[in-house]
Amino acid sequence: LVLQTDSTSSLSRNGKLREKTLTLDTLNPQVKAVEYAVRGPIVIKAGEIERYLEEGGTKPFSEVIKANIGDAHAMGQKPITFLRQVVALCTFPELMDSPSFPEDAKRRARRILQGCGGHSLGSYSASPGVECIRKDIAAYIEQRDEGVPSDWENVYLTTGASDGIMTILRLLVSGKDSSRTGVMIPIPQYPLYSAAISEMDAVQVNYYLDEDNCWALDINELHRSYQAAKQHCQPRVICIINPGNPTGQVQSKKCIEEVLHFAYEENLFVMSDEVYQDNVYAPDCQFHSFKKVLYEMGPEYFNSVELVSFHSTSKGYTGECGFRGGYMEVINMDPEVKAQMVKLLSVRLCPPLAGQAAMDVIVNPPQPEEHTFKQFHQEKSSVLGALAEKAKLTEKILNAVPGIKCNPVQGAMYAFPRIFIPPKAVEEAKALGMQPDMLYCLRLLEETGICVVPGSGFGQKDGTYHFRMTILPSIEKLKVLLGKVRDFHIGFLKEYSGLE
Amino acid sequence: LVLQTDSTSSLSRNGKLREKTLTLDTLNPQVKAVEYAVRGPIVIKAGEIERYLEEGGTKPFSEVIKANIGDAHAMGQKPITFLRQVVALCTFPELMDSPSFPEDAKRRARRILQGCGGHSLGSYSASPGVECIRKDIAAYIEQRDEGVPSDWENVYLTTGASDGIMTILRLLVSGKDSSRTGVMIPIPQYPLYSAAISEMDAVQVNYYLDEDNCWALDINELHRSYQAAKQHCQPRVICIINPGNPTGQVQSKKCIEEVLHFAYEENLFVMSDEVYQDNVYAPDCQFHSFKKVLYEMGPEYFNSVELVSFHSTSKGYTGECGFRGGYMEVINMDPEVKAQMVKLLSVRLCPPLAGQAAMDVIVNPPQPEEHTFKQFHQEKSSVLGALAEKAKLTEKILNAVPGIKCNPVQGAMYAFPRIFIPPKAVEEAKALGMQPDMLYCLRLLEETGICVVPGSGFGQKDGTYHFRMTILPSIEKLKVLLGKVRDFHIGFLKEYSGLE
């Protein structure tokens, strides 16, 4: 008798088949349910092609361009000198004696280290973050919001914004709950939200953004979504992403007021993802923080609506993704819940100190009277100016392609064009068991080396198809990329419309 | 009619009381169940006293000594120069031109940056970590284990070891599972484990370490614990901490073999917390990795037992807690499960890059032929030598106190002495609704400023009491601290034995 062994089993001493303890069958099903398109199958495929090229393989292109993720430095963006100087000084304080580091940076580094145990970036901080950094963040928020008060004890440093978002959802969602927790999210959304909802076994409650109206949030759609959800779960929280990811819209003040009024009336906890607050390009748009709008609605609102706003070092003009820095400001949270949250945060000890230091520079940048101001300001304007130009360029070139329609990229870092996919291609995709826009993006990758993410990974109205691409490549590269997308799209249409 | 409002409600426009959405009643009950003594109530109290002293208040002591947490730099330990040089170079590559940085450090920094997107620490890495760092870690493991093969694709960088431990438990535990997952942990344990188990709603299965035998792990106790647990849950995973936290023991090779054999027979997934692998002080003890022991048990074991080992930048001789660096090596994990794990990791994008760089230095330190070797080696030996001395000193002084009994601190960074608490003190604590060792530690804090963690926060045999203290303060400070503990303990015994 020969017993077959395979990767999930081995033969034990007594001849019985030893099964693996952890297999796809025994894996936590909530992990299985998680999807995260931004680093999903298409990106794994892109990595494979990249390695194939490195090893001397040939393709119709010489490099893979990863426009799938908002990873600015990987696309060639240079770090802000002042930020890196401060973090380097904190990391290696012997540099305090170096004349090549500006006094402004040394002053900030000294102050941060004063707030660290043993004056070292190697100590744990308090779980909510270094106290002086929390204070700097509160001061920044007050200034940003033109005087609306911010209490530093409501500010919590996080390991990127994702960590903060997961923490807040963890408080709100119980896997055991029989009356299941509904989490309202925009569609299209950033898939961290849907992934967290799957992992925690909450109910995803979709509200659709209005593509025909530049991805605006429509209050009637919120009501519809909420009422429909109430039939099968208990909606307790609404998530908003402003400026939008993947959709790039910047919400109007009126729209934010409507959302907050709705949350007030329906007793919803508000999670406001504002990581792109510095990324607004359209001249007729302006970033309005949810907190400031809430304040202006009067004390009845400002003293009652539970609101958390998230920010990050990864976006804006710094693009420091690898530092995993971020913060959240929590308004009107029940003090007992806050204590429970601090307890939960303390299990993971603290966010990385270098990320906390980077966050501090962002909220406490060089001032006009400081020597470093000029260079800092030039670098910042250069990044934001280029992004604005690329936003405009992307919209313009894409809209000139037959079968592609792209809303203006008012903010954030992405275009989310709608693409027409011929019925024959839709059929082919279905036969292959994949989403039509996945087929489209795979073909795009294989023929041009351009890696973008199918709209189905973010959610979209049934029967519509999109992809998300970042606007981060350099202008020259972006033009080449958009040209290739255009040529590919035209070829794809021809092929599947039988016009070839 | 006057409606009272309090912190959990406010009066809405139409006069109805607006309840908060998120209160202690509606909070995820699994969050409520979490306890984490290392940063628990006693540490919060210590922070309050610290602030009180800063603001000019007076106490019978001038400073709070935080011996509650393994936070080396906060206790005055100096960073390893070479590590900080490499991370500073990675952070601010302009320093590559500086003659004051050694070529050895520059070479490593260049290599790390080559592995980063856009050659910047500001890019996201792949979710499992930077490829060349994973390769360095695998090479380190092979060397440590004297040739036992290590595949770099089994190595995953983490945000401190805690993050890795949570990730693996998340795969194994489903909150929805009706046949609930049992997680075997040592008692006493590091409370990350109990906290994770509470948060994920798994079943904590205790196996007791043998205090009378220097906290050794007894295989019969493992069997007892497993059989008892099988009555009410499905034990699927066993966690071991070696060297022990809080107990400081170093496991013998024979003991590890027994654990692995047991895991093999009972089909348990093995989680081996080896973050203190460089912290072994007792001359008759040696660190044996679970992986090497498994290898030596033969292919039948080595090719089947599912094993994860965790390591960290926070402990050892570097003590770089704030960098949140760490890794795990995963053996015999089902390939499909591994793909699911990578998907789960990708939702949080990646561990902090500075922590990854710090981990790289630890696994790829200066070699004897390199210029930096001498200084590096001196700094490393100095830290580990002092720790060994402090381990000995702590054991000796504590054991000279009547009513305190302390096992040898063979490894790790803690003493976990057993303390006799008089029945009258036990009664008083019970009347106050607190654990007797909590009463003891609170009194110690209030009378001496010394902050240690009650044994009840780690688990202990019923009717026994302990506390955990780090051996991290400088030798001078440690002597003062231990003297104060002695005096306090004697006074405490007198007071509650009615001998005063």
Side-chain angles (χ1 to χ4, degrees):
Chain A
L1 177 75
V2 177
L3 278 171
Q4 289 287 331
T5 65
D6 60 31
S7 67
T8 67
S9 59
S10 70
L11 206 56
S12 98
R13 205 186 311 232
N14 53 20
K16 73 177 178 199
L17 212 54
R18 188 178 184 281
E19 288 293 323
K20 280 202 190 293
T21 304
L22 183 57
T23 65
L24 216 46
D25 286 340
T26 62
L27 179 75
N28 176 358
Q30 288 155 238
V31 170
K32 230 177 297 181
V34 165
E35 286 183 29
Y36 187 67
V38 171
R39 290 202 154 177
I42 197 133
V43 184
I44 294 171
K45 182 84 193 161
E48 286 166 13
I49 295 177
E50 223 166 18
R51 261 192 300 280
Y52 173 79
L53 288 174
E54 275 166 19
E55 285 157 7
T58 54
K59 285 274 172 187
F61 47 88
S62 60
E63 66 165 335
V64 172
I65 302 178
K66 288 194 178 157
N68 58 294
I69 188 167
D71 192 0
H73 293 201
M75 287 286 106
Q77 184 179 311
K78 292 281 156 279
I80 298 290
T81 304
F82 185 75
L83 186 150
R84 291 299 187 92
Q85 285 172 327
V86 173
V87 180
L89 285 159
C90 290
T91 302
F92 196 60
E94 282 84 337
L95 290 170
M96 295 286 181
D97 300 328
S98 163
S100 55
F101 279 73
E103 206 42 57
D104 304 341
K106 289 180 186 172
R107 207 163 42 238
R108 276 171 184 73
R110 262 187 228 110
R111 185 156 166 281
I112 292 168
L113 290 177
Q114 282 291 339
C116 295
H119 301 174
S120 168
L121 224 50
S123 299
Y124 294 119
S125 71
S127 302
V130 175
E131 191 172 307
C132 70
I133 299 178
R134 297 170 76 192
K135 286 177 176 165
D136 286 348
I137 293 170
Y140 158 82
I141 295 171
E142 282 198 6
Q143 199 187 13
R144 181 197 70 190
D145 290 342
E146 296 167 338
V148 179
S150 173
D151 180 348
W152 68 270
E153 297 199 72
N154 286 337
V155 172
Y156 298 83
L157 276 296
T158 57
T159 307
S162 310
D163 171 49
I165 292 165
M166 297 287 264
T167 299
I168 297 293
L169 285 175
R170 189 75 69 196
L171 302 179
L172 283 155
V173 176
S174 162
K176 282 206 278 198
D177 215 344
S178 51
S179 62
R180 297 173 68 207
T181 301
V183 179
M184 299 185 73
I185 61 172
I187 296 294
Q189 52 110 22
Y190 174 56
L192 165 68
Y193 291 94
S194 49
I197 288 167
S198 295
E199 191 186 323
M200 300 183 196
D201 200 28
V203 179
Q204 177 175 325
V205 176
N206 297 337
Y207 64 88
Y208 288 82
L209 300 175
D210 185 359
E211 183 165 15
D212 294 334
N213 193 13
C214 210
W215 298 114
L217 193 162
D218 175 7
I219 188 68
N220 295 318
E221 167 60 11
L222 277 192
H223 285 292
R224 179 209 64 73
S225 160
Y226 178 81
Q227 293 302 335
K230 266 178 71 176
Q231 309 302 315
H232 59 99
C233 71
Q234 196 192 345
R236 291 184 65 202
V237 50
I238 179 165
C239 304
I240 302 104
I241 311 172
N242 177 48
N245 176 4
T247 38
Q249 84 285 11
V250 177
Q251 287 184 339
S252 69
K253 193 174 161 191
K254 175 166 168 291
C255 167
I256 295 171
E257 271 173 12
E258 285 173 348
V259 172
L260 287 168
H261 181 75
F262 169 75
Y264 176 90
E265 289 294 325
E266 303 297 1
N267 238 21
L268 295 172
F269 193 102
V270 180
M271 292 172 66
S272 176
D273 181 340
E274 302 180 323
V275 301
Y276 296 101
Q277 57 189 268
D278 287 326
N279 299 98
V280 176
Y281 315 119
D284 53 339
C285 289
Q286 195 191 334
F287 171 72
H288 301 276
S289 79
F290 267 65
K291 186 180 172 205
K292 181 161 185 249
V293 174
L294 188 67
Y295 181 80
E296 289 169 351
M297 287 168 78
E300 193 182 318
Y301 290 88
F302 191 62
N303 297 329
S304 74
V305 174
E306 294 151 87
L307 168 67
V308 186
S309 162
F310 304 93
H311 199 8
S312 161
T313 60
S314 305
K315 310 300 168 188
Y317 52 92
T318 54
E320 295 284 11
C321 309
F323 282 83
R324 313 306 300 121
Y327 75 77
M328 55 186 178
E329 186 190 24
V330 172
I331 315 285
N332 292 318
M333 185 180 265
D334 181 304
E336 288 181 311
V337 171
K338 231 188 267 185
Q340 293 284 322
M341 181 172 78
V342 171
K343 182 187 70 179
L344 190 65
L345 293 175
S346 74
V347 177
R348 298 234 184 184
L349 297 162
C350 67
L353 270 285
Q356 295 192 43
M359 196 73 241
D360 192 55
V361 177
I362 293 173
V363 297
N364 183 18
Q367 297 303 304
E369 66 278 11
E370 292 185 295
H371 281 97
T372 47
F373 180 76
K374 200 175 150 199
Q375 187 188 358
F376 174 85
H377 193 259
Q378 272 171 354
E379 291 177 358
K380 174 178 171 177
S381 307
S382 153
V383 171
L384 291 177
L387 282 171
E389 193 179 337
K390 292 187 274 190
K392 202 78 207 147
L393 184 77
T394 305
E395 176 199 345
K396 196 177 131 204
I397 298 184
L398 287 176
N399 277 326
V401 182
I404 295 188
K405 195 170 168 298
C406 184
N407 268 322
V409 183
Q410 298 171 334
M413 295 179 167
Y414 315 97
F416 194 68
R418 183 162 170 183
I419 46 178
F420 174 70
I421 297 188
K424 270 176 85 175
V426 173
E427 271 167 47
E428 183 179 318
K430 281 186 182 152
L432 291 164
M434 63 171 73
Q435 294 289 337
D437 49 13
M438 175 64 90
L439 173 75
Y440 181 95
C441 292
L442 275 174
R443 289 279 308 268
L444 177 68
L445 173 65
E446 275 158 9
E447 292 172 29
T448 67
I450 297 167
C451 179
V452 299
V453 187
S456 46
F458 304 88
Q460 53 200 356
K461 231 166 135 174
D462 275 352
T464 69
Y465 305 107
H466 304 77
F467 63 79
R468 186 188 85 163
M469 61 168 279
T470 70
I471 57 167
L472 291 171
S474 66
I475 290 185
E476 298 65 41
K477 214 173 218 178
L478 189 63
K479 279 183 184 162
V480 174
L481 186 156
L482 290 165
K484 285 185 177 185
V485 169
R486 181 190 54 220
D487 296 348
F488 166 80
H489 187 81
I490 291 168
F492 188 87
L493 286 194
K494 266 197 192 145
E495 180 182 339
Y496 286 100
S497 308
L499 299 174
E500 215 165 8
Chain B
L1 178 75
V2 179
L3 277 172
Q4 288 285 330
T5 66
D6 59 33
S7 67
T8 67
S9 59
S10 69
L11 207 57
S12 98
R13 205 186 311 231
N14 53 22
K16 72 178 177 197
L17 211 53
R18 190 177 182 281
E19 287 294 322
K20 281 202 189 293
T21 304
L22 184 56
T23 65
L24 216 47
D25 286 339
T26 61
L27 180 73
N28 177 357
Q30 287 155 240
V31 170
K32 231 179 296 183
V34 165
E35 285 184 29
Y36 187 67
V38 172
R39 291 201 154 178
I42 196 132
V43 185
I44 293 170
K45 181 84 193 165
E48 287 167 11
I49 295 177
E50 223 166 20
R51 258 191 302 279
Y52 173 77
L53 289 174
E54 275 166 21
E55 286 160 5
T58 55
K59 285 275 172 190
F61 47 87
S62 60
E63 66 165 335
V64 172
I65 302 178
K66 286 191 179 159
N68 59 294
I69 188 166
D71 192 1
H73 292 202
M75 288 285 107
Q77 185 180 309
K78 291 282 156 282
I80 299 289
T81 305
F82 185 74
L83 185 150
R84 290 301 186 91
Q85 285 171 329
V86 174
V87 180
L89 285 160
C90 289
T91 303
F92 195 61
E94 281 85 337
L95 291 170
M96 296 287 182
D97 300 330
S98 163
S100 56
F101 279 74
E103 206 42 57
D104 304 341
K106 289 179 186 172
R107 207 163 43 239
R108 277 172 184 73
R110 261 186 229 109
R111 187 156 164 281
I112 293 168
L113 290 177
Q114 282 291 337
C116 295
H119 302 173
S120 168
L121 225 48
S123 299
Y124 295 118
S125 72
S127 301
V130 175
E131 190 171 309
C132 70
I133 299 179
R134 297 171 75 190
K135 286 176 176 165
D136 286 348
I137 293 170
Y140 157 82
I141 295 171
E142 283 199 5
Q143 198 187 14
R144 181 197 67 190
D145 290 343
E146 294 167 338
V148 179
S150 174
D151 180 348
W152 68 270
E153 297 199 71
N154 286 337
V155 173
Y156 299 84
L157 276 296
T158 57
T159 308
S162 309
D163 171 48
I165 292 166
M166 298 285 268
T167 298
I168 297 294
L169 285 175
R170 188 76 67 197
L171 302 179
L172 284 153
V173 177
S174 162
K176 281 205 278 197
D177 217 344
S178 51
S179 61
R180 295 173 69 207
T181 301
V183 180
M184 299 185 71
I185 61 170
I187 296 294
Q189 52 110 22
Y190 173 56
L192 166 68
Y193 292 93
S194 50
I197 289 168
S198 294
E199 190 186 322
M200 297 181 197
D201 201 28
V203 179
Q204 178 175 324
V205 176
N206 297 337
Y207 64 87
Y208 287 83
L209 301 175
D210 185 0
E211 182 164 17
D212 294 335
N213 194 11
C214 211
W215 297 115
L217 192 161
D218 176 8
I219 187 70
N220 295 318
E221 167 61 11
L222 276 192
H223 285 293
R224 179 207 64 74
S225 160
Y226 177 80
Q227 294 303 333
K230 267 177 70 175
Q231 307 304 315
H232 60 99
C233 71
Q234 197 192 347
R236 292 185 65 202
V237 51
I238 179 166
C239 304
I240 302 103
I241 312 172
N242 178 48
N245 176 5
T247 39
Q249 84 285 14
V250 177
Q251 287 185 340
S252 70
K253 193 175 162 190
K254 177 168 166 290
C255 168
I256 295 171
E257 271 173 15
E258 286 174 348
V259 172
L260 287 168
H261 182 75
F262 168 76
Y264 175 90
E265 287 296 324
E266 304 297 359
N267 238 21
L268 296 172
F269 193 102
V270 181
M271 291 173 64
S272 176
D273 180 340
E274 302 181 325
V275 300
Y276 297 101
Q277 57 188 269
D278 288 326
N279 298 99
V280 176
Y281 316 119
D284 54 338
C285 287
Q286 198 192 330
F287 171 72
H288 301 277
S289 79
F290 267 65
K291 186 182 173 202
K292 180 160 184 252
V293 175
L294 188 67
Y295 182 79
E296 289 169 351
M297 289 168 76
E300 193 182 318
Y301 291 87
F302 191 63
N303 296 329
S304 75
V305 175
E306 294 150 87
L307 168 67
V308 187
S309 161
F310 303 92
H311 199 7
S312 161
T313 60
S314 305
K315 311 301 168 187
Y317 53 91
T318 53
E320 296 283 11
C321 309
F323 282 84
R324 315 306 301 119
Y327 76 77
M328 55 187 179
E329 187 192 23
V330 172
I331 316 284
N332 291 318
M333 186 181 264
D334 181 303
E336 287 181 312
V337 171
K338 228 187 270 185
Q340 292 284 323
M341 182 173 76
V342 171
K343 181 188 70 177
L344 190 65
L345 293 174
S346 74
V347 178
R348 297 232 185 186
L349 297 162
C350 68
L353 270 286
Q356 296 193 44
M359 196 73 240
D360 192 56
V361 177
I362 293 174
V363 298
N364 183 18
Q367 297 303 304
E369 67 278 11
E370 291 185 296
H371 282 98
T372 47
F373 180 75
K374 201 175 150 198
Q375 186 188 358
F376 175 84
H377 194 259
Q378 273 172 353
E379 290 177 356
K380 176 179 172 178
S381 308
S382 155
V383 171
L384 291 177
L387 282 171
E389 194 180 336
K390 292 187 272 189
K392 204 77 206 145
L393 184 77
T394 304
E395 176 199 346
K396 198 178 127 202
I397 298 184
L398 287 177
N399 277 325
V401 183
I404 296 188
K405 196 170 167 297
C406 184
N407 270 322
V409 182
Q410 299 173 333
M413 295 180 168
Y414 315 97
F416 195 66
R418 181 161 169 185
I419 46 177
F420 173 69
I421 297 188
K424 270 176 82 175
V426 173
E427 271 167 46
E428 182 177 317
K430 280 184 182 155
L432 290 165
M434 62 170 74
Q435 294 289 337
D437 50 11
M438 175 62 92
L439 172 75
Y440 181 96
C441 293
L442 274 175
R443 287 280 306 267
L444 177 67
L445 172 64
E446 274 160 10
E447 293 172 29
T448 68
I450 296 167
C451 179
V452 299
V453 187
S456 47
F458 304 89
Q460 54 200 355
K461 234 166 130 175
D462 276 351
T464 70
Y465 305 106
H466 302 77
F467 63 80
R468 185 188 84 163
M469 59 168 280
T470 70
I471 57 166
L472 290 172
S474 67
I475 291 186
E476 298 66 44
K477 214 172 216 177
L478 189 63
K479 281 183 183 161
V480 174
L481 186 156
L482 290 164
K484 285 186 177 185
V485 168
R486 183 189 53 221
D487 296 346
F488 167 81
H489 187 80
I490 292 170
F492 188 87
L493 286 194
K494 269 199 191 142
E495 179 182 339
Y496 286 100
S497 307
L499 299 175
E500 218 166 2

